[in-house]
Amino acid sequence: MAITIDDERLDAVFAALADRTRRDIVARLSEGEATVKELAAPYAMTLQAVSQHIGVLERCGLVSRGRHRQTRPCRLEPQTLETAVSWIEESRRAWAERMDRLEAHLARLQDGQQR
Amino acid sequence: MAITIDDERLDAVFAALADRTRRDIVARLSEGEATVKELAAPYAMTLQAVSQHIGVLERCGLVSRGRHRQTRPCRLEPQTLETAVSWIEESRRAWAERMDRLEAHLARLQDGQQR
DNA sequence: CGTGTACTCAAGCATCTACTTTATCAAGCG
DNA sequence: CGCTTGATAAAGTAGATGCTTGAGTACACG
């Protein structure tokens, strides 16, 4: 039952998504590839800072960088997003199941009282 | 379309989930309520440290603490998990859509060549 | 009442993070 | 060739984070 082999990976993915700028970059990459310069354009910070953000996204597997002429086009790696979602869904599923059982139990109790 | 009013909330939720101990606590709370002492039991760290972790989870809305006698029972707030999932799913959905369009486009190109 | 238990508050410390500036590199252009 | 462009590398800094210890609070039990 998923003894969380990839705990470090999850640490890194959630930490990466904990930053507004990086979430923004992910959202923009979901619309298609973009170069570092293009991704940096909207922000007040330096290009280097954005490159570092992309480095964080790359190291945790959310993004990959290629090479085309003098640019490094970035693309989303959606299956890494998947690992984050599936971790969360696991907890929500367990909780929902538990609530269902509780509800059923309460219904049985009430049945007993009415008789 | 969601100009991210709750950016700070998302920052906090993802930052909270970026820690192994806190993810573990969330997972355990998905099996049911627990007191601070119970939650702290498995870890080498002090009770205070665990209480601080719960504080982080509480501040971002993932967990709520009640009062029962001298204990503070903690429970999961699953709708906050929902906000994190739905942010991620939005990006994945956009990416999947884009891939579908790309595929369709490539199919049309190939059709043209074959004729 | 005093003692124990469950917990929070507060201060201190080591480490990590999000930037910055300066320097460097590699590809294309005159 | 030298110069610009798009990018990474490295080093420094202010502020956040994860933990500790020590002290304080609220409830129960005898």
Side-chain angles (χ1 to χ4, degrees):
Chain A
M1 201 187 277
I3 312 285
T4 57
I5 299 171
D6 42 13
D7 243 351
E8 280 175 35
R9 160 63 59 102
L10 277 176
D11 272 12
V13 171
F14 283 124
L17 293 178
D19 185 278
R20 201 179 297 215
T21 305
R22 286 192 294 259
R23 277 200 308 280
D24 202 38
I25 289 172
V26 166
R28 289 174 58 213
L29 287 178
S30 77
E31 306 291 341
E33 296 193 3
T35 66
V36 177
K37 192 193 180 190
E38 285 164 352
L39 289 170
Y43 308 109
M45 67 186 93
T46 62
L47 183 83
Q48 288 91 320
V50 173
S51 179
Q52 284 173 350
H53 278 306
I54 296 170
V56 171
L57 292 169
E58 195 179 29
R59 239 169 284 124
C60 75
L62 280 169
V63 159
S64 62
R65 268 186 284 204
R67 280 179 180 239
H68 180 253
R69 309 213 172 191
Q70 60 284 60
T71 71
R72 310 278 153 86
C74 304
R75 65 185 346 250
L76 202 61
E77 293 293 335
Q79 65 182 7
T80 302
L81 282 176
E82 193 80 46
T83 64
V85 167
S86 60
W87 184 90
I88 298 179
E89 287 295 359
E90 178 69 16
S91 290
R92 285 214 317 129
R93 191 200 49 71
W95 181 264
E97 238 174 49
R98 203 183 147 270
M99 289 320 269
D100 285 352
R101 281 201 307 274
L102 187 60
E103 231 169 76
H105 178 62
L106 291 176
R108 273 196 306 276
L109 277 184
Q110 200 161 28
D111 247 33
Q113 280 185 334
Q114 281 175 347
R115 207 177 309 137
Chain B
M1 194 190 277
I3 311 286
T4 58
I5 298 170
D6 42 14
D7 242 352
E8 280 175 36
R9 161 62 61 102
L10 277 176
D11 272 12
V13 171
F14 283 122
L17 294 178
D19 185 278
R20 200 180 299 216
T21 305
R22 286 192 296 258
R23 277 201 308 280
D24 202 39
I25 289 172
V26 166
R28 288 175 58 212
L29 287 177
S30 76
E31 307 290 342
E33 295 193 3
T35 66
V36 177
K37 192 194 180 191
E38 286 164 352
L39 289 170
Y43 307 109
M45 67 187 95
T46 62
L47 184 83
Q48 287 93 318
V50 173
S51 180
Q52 284 172 350
H53 278 305
I54 296 169
V56 171
L57 292 169
E58 195 179 30
R59 242 170 282 124
C60 75
L62 279 170
V63 159
S64 63
R65 266 185 285 203
R67 278 178 182 244
H68 180 251
R69 309 214 172 190
Q70 61 283 57
T71 71
R72 308 277 150 82
C74 303
R75 67 187 342 252
L76 202 60
E77 293 293 335
Q79 65 182 7
T80 301
L81 282 176
E82 193 80 47
T83 66
V85 167
S86 60
W87 183 89
I88 298 178
E89 288 294 0
E90 178 69 16
S91 289
R92 285 213 317 129
R93 191 199 49 71
W95 180 264
E97 241 174 47
R98 202 184 147 269
M99 291 319 269
D100 285 351
R101 282 201 307 275
L102 187 60
E103 232 169 75
H105 178 63
L106 290 176
R108 274 196 305 277
L109 278 183
Q110 200 162 29
D111 248 32
Q113 281 185 334
Q114 282 177 344
R115 207 176 307 136

